Amino acid sequence: MKMTDKTSNFLFYSGLILLAIGAFGLTFAVYFAIIGLPIFVVGIILILVSKKTWKQRLIPIGLFIIGIIAFWPIWNNINTVGPETFLIPNDYRGRVNIIYKKDCGILLETTENGLIYEIPNDGVLLLSNELKYGIIDHNYYLIDKNGKKTELPKMDVRDFNEEWTTEKNPNEPPRDKLGVFHWGRTGSTGIIRDENGIVTNEDEQYKFTEFYVSTYSDLTEKFNFKYERKFDSIRDFKVKKCK
């Protein structure tokens, strides 16, 4: 069946619209690329099956592809938080909390190497900085009393095999290897409101990031509920004193 000019134009301009929507999903809404990519591909197909000349079909497709590729490094640079360096006492093991609370703690200044967090011996650092979100660029180091730094690897609990693991990792890391777990984890304290909807615990509000310096074996065996409760009490005491 021969395609009419009307059908061809419909396919072509529909394809352009889908290219624009898909390109938006692949750039400004890059976290939704799983949706944007299929839409973009369908747009390409509609344009290609239209009766337009090859030049008319390939130029818009090429321009959109070039635009997306050129935008990615710009988007990545704009949305990257960092670089950030964490200096941890050489013998510290366990949970680290970095508390972000207005008018509380120190104001961390950006250096030529980015933000440098010097973690105290109790693992709780209080900052008056605002917590920024985005793609993280983190590096973690143990530092001894002489200033010697030893880099810690960023590790993932999903790399270790357990009874419930459906797909076993053939390259499981050593369980006694020291590293940083749960890096990049963020959170905030809960908001309590009265019957009029007014926040009653505003002074207790703060945001935080946290991670663990540990081996995989110690992560659940040593840093258990009892440890967490003790750590929370130390953190809460420091935050309360900071008011």
Side-chain angles (χ1 to χ4, degrees):
M1 183 177 178
K2 188 176 180 180
M3 183 184 299
T4 64
D5 289 341
K6 183 177 181 181
T7 301
S8 176
N9 287 335
F10 175 79
L11 293 174
F12 181 78
Y13 291 111
S14 296
L16 286 179
I17 293 172
L18 291 180
L19 279 188
I21 296 172
F24 180 84
L26 290 169
T27 52
F28 294 100
V30 71
Y31 288 119
F32 301 99
I34 192 172
I35 299 175
L37 182 58
I39 294 175
F40 192 79
V41 171
V42 171
I44 291 177
I45 294 172
L46 292 181
I47 290 174
L48 291 177
V49 299
S50 70
K51 283 177 51 179
K52 299 293 183 180
T53 66
W54 279 109
K55 184 177 180 180
Q56 289 175 311
R57 284 178 280 181
L58 294 180
I59 286 178
I61 293 174
L63 289 176
F64 272 108
I65 291 176
I66 292 171
I68 292 171
I69 294 174
F71 183 83
W72 278 343
I74 298 173
W75 184 93
N76 187 72
N77 184 64
I78 292 173
N79 290 278
T80 295
V81 178
E84 295 178 303
T85 300
F86 299 82
L87 303 179
I88 306 151
N90 198 57
D91 58 351
Y92 186 82
R93 302 292 183 269
R95 180 176 163 194
V96 173
N97 265 191
I98 300 171
I99 308 298
Y100 298 83
K101 193 176 190 306
K102 187 177 180 181
D103 301 324
C104 180
I106 63 174
L107 178 63
L108 208 60
E109 299 290 346
T110 303
T111 70
E112 59 181 9
N113 296 317
L115 292 174
I116 299 177
Y117 301 82
E118 297 184 7
I119 307 301
N121 292 325
D122 60 7
V124 180
L125 177 62
L126 302 178
L127 301 177
S128 58
N129 298 65
E130 181 182 353
L131 175 59
K132 295 181 179 180
Y133 299 94
I135 301 171
I136 60 177
D137 179 9
H138 287 180
N139 292 290
Y140 301 86
Y141 297 89
L142 293 179
I143 183 166
D144 64 18
K145 59 182 179 181
N146 298 317
K148 181 182 177 181
K149 295 189 295 184
T150 303
E151 187 169 6
L152 289 169
K154 296 188 283 288
M155 305 184 74
D156 193 328
V157 295
R158 293 171 295 185
D159 291 334
F160 295 86
N161 299 321
E162 297 293 352
E163 293 180 3
W164 55 84
T165 305
T166 54
E167 294 185 16
K168 303 297 183 182
N169 180 10
N171 301 309
E172 180 183 27
R175 295 186 173 225
D176 59 352
K177 181 178 181 180
L178 185 66
V180 177
F181 288 87
H182 303 310
W183 48 278
R185 178 186 284 178
T186 63
S188 62
T189 54
I191 295 176
I192 301 176
R193 302 180 185 272
D194 61 18
E195 62 275 8
N196 298 315
I198 300 174
V199 177
T200 59
N201 64 332
E202 188 172 349
D203 290 340
E204 300 174 5
Q205 293 297 304
Y206 61 83
K207 296 178 181 179
F208 65 88
T209 60
E210 71 176 18
F211 57 87
Y212 287 75
V213 179
S214 175
T215 64
Y216 182 74
S217 296
D218 287 343
L219 197 59
T220 54
E221 295 176 8
K222 187 174 181 180
F223 305 122
N224 50 25
F225 174 75
K226 185 177 180 180
Y227 166 84
E228 297 290 349
R229 186 169 57 181
K230 181 179 179 180
F231 183 91
D232 287 345
S233 65
I234 294 172
R235 178 203 59 203
D236 294 345
F237 179 73
K238 288 189 69 171
V239 172
K240 188 175 182 179
K241 279 186 62 178
C242 193
K243 293 179 182 178

